[in-house]
Amino acid sequence: MNSSDKRVTWEKYFMNIAHEVATRSTCERKHVGAVIVRGKTILATGYNGSIRGAAHCDDIGHEMENTHCVRTIHAEANAIVQSARHGVRLEDSEIYVTASPCYDCFKLIANSGINKIYFGEFYRDERILQYANELKIELIDLSK
């Protein structure tokens, strides 16, 4: 057995990192992590959490609307914001997310230039399937 037989695939490697990033989430309702990658290099990470400097759900409770906690910023949005804060271009990159993006995060992903989305579980919003197809953004379900 050679060493390459023991190594995880790049997809598994980056999804493993996304799961580790999710451990930083500050809303116990759902821990989500995201990793943006281009050319096998990590550009940014993000997890769902409160506005920078604001109290966390885990500390003061949730701000609920239509069964969703709206106190948090989603992992994908946080990763995109981190890229912007550090001047990192996202054109032609890919994102690994532990759960498929909501519709709003999908729109941010599409407009940022990310053209491939890997996700670990499908989460709620079927609209992303239609728009991904229309916009030629690859959606890859790694749960299968």
Side-chain angles (χ1 to χ4, degrees), residues 5-117:
D5 293 335
K6 299 176 198 171
R7 296 174 73 190
V8 298
T9 64
W10 284 107
E11 290 82 8
K12 178 79 172 151
Y13 172 74
F14 290 122
M15 188 57 75
N16 287 345
I17 294 170
H19 281 285
E20 188 64 27
V21 171
T23 67
R24 293 283 305 153
S25 294
T26 61
C27 181
E28 77 262 353
R29 290 179 50 82
K30 186 152 187 77
H31 289 213
V32 179
V35 178
I36 301 174
V37 175
R38 185 177 46 246
K40 297 184 179 111
T41 299
I42 295 173
L43 304 177
T45 64
Y47 53 86
N48 55 320
S50 296
I51 299 168
R52 180 185 296 269
H56 302 299
C57 297
D58 290 355
D59 298 331
I60 66 164
H62 303 285
E63 188 178 330
M64 300 300 292
E65 289 180 12
N66 299 322
T67 72
H68 297 304
C69 179
V70 296
R71 173 175 282 286
T72 62
I73 301 165
H74 291 185
E76 307 92 307
N78 268 329
I80 290 168
V81 168
Q82 184 184 81
S83 299
R85 285 178 57 93
H86 296 286
V88 176
R89 180 180 67 82
L90 298 181
E91 204 72 33
D92 299 322
S93 62
E94 49 198 38
I95 189 167
Y96 291 79
V97 191
T98 57
S100 62
C102 70
Y103 187 48
D104 286 335
C105 286
F106 177 83
K107 292 184 282 186
L108 291 173
I109 290 167
N111 278 7
S112 72
I114 295 170
N115 57 20
K116 195 178 286 191
I117 302 168

